[in-house]
Amino acid sequence: MRTTPRTVEEQFLAATARSRELYEQALKVMPGGVTRTSIYSEPYPIYAERGEGCRVWDVDGTRRLDLVVNYTALLVGHAHPAVVRAIQEQAARGTSFAAPNPPEVRLAAELVDRVPSIEQVRFTNSGTEATMMALRLARAFTGRRRFAWVEGGYHGSHDLVQDPAVAGTLPEVAENAVVIPYNDAKGAAEILDRHGRELAAVIVEPILGSGGMIPADPEYLQALRAACDRHGSLLIFDEVISFRVRRGGAQEMYGITPDLTTLGKVIGGGLPVAAFGGRAEVMGLLDPRREGFLPQAGTLNGHPLGMAAGAATLELLTPDVYAELDRRGERTREGLRALFAEHEMAAQVTGVSSLMQVHFTPDPVRDHRGVMRSDPRQRKEFVMGLCNHGVLLNSRGMAALSTPVGDAEIDEFLEAVDAVLSDRRPPVR
Ligand SMILES: Cc1ncc(COP(=O)(O)O)c(C=O)c1O
């Protein structure tokens, strides 16, 4: 006789048999069964079968509300008809050429039009490559070696921006990085004033993304801008995530102009597209007509499918869409806060516009140290509980709205949260 599953994990296991089967096969051929560390979660990840709008169906046939949208990458949801059409039309014309292509010029022009600080832009296949190239470009432009980045910042997986504790990274590479605190204008400025003349660049996410979905204080970003100006370093905004908050990215929201910007995720409409761009004077170093130019290779750079998907996605994202995402995001964050208060749970909800994250701590969260105080056991139960109730968040408790998430879907999310918090039982250990 079958017994009804009781704990959150038992419920998860009971509903995901086919995912477990695939995971067991994958374990034999891929380390840890995955090809991307961030999508591994205990006891195993759920395998996606298909997506449509804000819904994802897993291989067991369960439909869920997707509030991860591939780590914020999909702003118009899964398989938007206009994006699918653009990909299909381009695929029928060919998928890859040793030649530039028309959609590449279209997407570049769109980005330059949206972001005044981007006078010229270049494409890459990942945010990792975009930040790697932006930092190299900053070193080439300034003739300096070192750069500063923010505690808790994430800029991809190349050596320059790894924690030196990560196995296999070169200590001499890490020595080129100066670490500054987040949301501490005075503390950061002091460090930058100490090292300023050695620094090619300061790289910062205007909204700390993977580090906790925490918007920067405007004064903090202003202090970084001023320090860069004092010392002749380039200010790089890594907007791989934050670009989704405004037509012109978070820099439009803050009214602060960086020298270089890196983009990714949303600009490829779900395909592997990223970019770096900025002042023409700096970007001009990449011009192959110029003597001693900085080369940028990449067999799949400016890939026509990604360019077409990105251009079709951005076409859908008009200013009124961003205003509506602001409203829906605020409504969701307020709804979450009200539920945590009602259930007497010590939790914080950070974020802005369509981006948010839940942190299980009684203290306000303003930087990555605050994020690290979040209780991992509560977070795991919350995320798995929501999955059992049909809503996907990422394992850190991050949620990102896409345009198909309307008021009805926000209600559905909040009802699921209410159910998870009501189911809560004291830990049995
Ligand atoms: C701010 C930021 N920069 C860079 C990256 C790296 O992008 P990718 O995963 O495309 O290499 C990420 C990825 O999450 C990111 O959030």
Side-chain angles (χ1 to χ4, degrees), residues 219-284:
E219 310 75 59
Y220 175 72
L221 296 177
Q222 281 154 7
L224 299 190
R225 178 68 275 177
C228 285
D229 291 343
R230 275 198 300 283
H231 303 297
S233 315
L234 299 187
L235 180 62
I236 305 175
F237 273 7
D238 183 352
E239 296 230 39
V240 165
I241 286 181
S242 63
F243 186 65
R244 66 164 24 238
V245 304
R246 285 290 178 279
R247 187 176 177 276
Q251 55 195 273
E252 178 186 320
M253 185 173 84
Y254 284 102
I256 295 175
T257 307
D259 300 290
L260 294 176
T261 299
T262 50
L263 302 170
K265 302 203 195 278
V266 162
I267 68 159
L271 274 75
V273 175
F276 62 102
R279 274 163 55 197
E281 184 195 4
V282 183
M283 292 298 290

Side-chain angles (χ1 to χ4, degrees), residues 125-129 131 154-157 205 210 238-241 262 265 274:
N125 300 291
S126 67
T128 293
E129 293 163 88
T131 62
Y154 181 69
H155 305 289
S157 49
E205 295 160 85
S210 304
D238 183 352
E239 296 230 39
V240 165
I241 286 181
T262 50
K265 302 203 195 278

Side-chain angles (χ1 to χ4, degrees), residues 364-383:
V365 172
R366 289 183 33 78
D367 57 18
H368 193 59
R369 290 180 189 214
V371 174
M372 297 306 281
R373 285 194 283 272
S374 182
D375 180 341
R377 187 190 55 78
Q378 285 187 5
R379 186 174 59 219
K380 187 179 163 194
E381 294 241 321
F382 181 69
V383 170

Side-chain angles (χ1 to χ4, degrees), residues 356-370:
M356 63 202 78
Q357 188 159 326
V358 173
H359 311 272
F360 293 97
T361 163
D363 309 314
V365 172
R366 289 183 33 78
D367 57 18
H368 193 59
R369 290 180 189 214

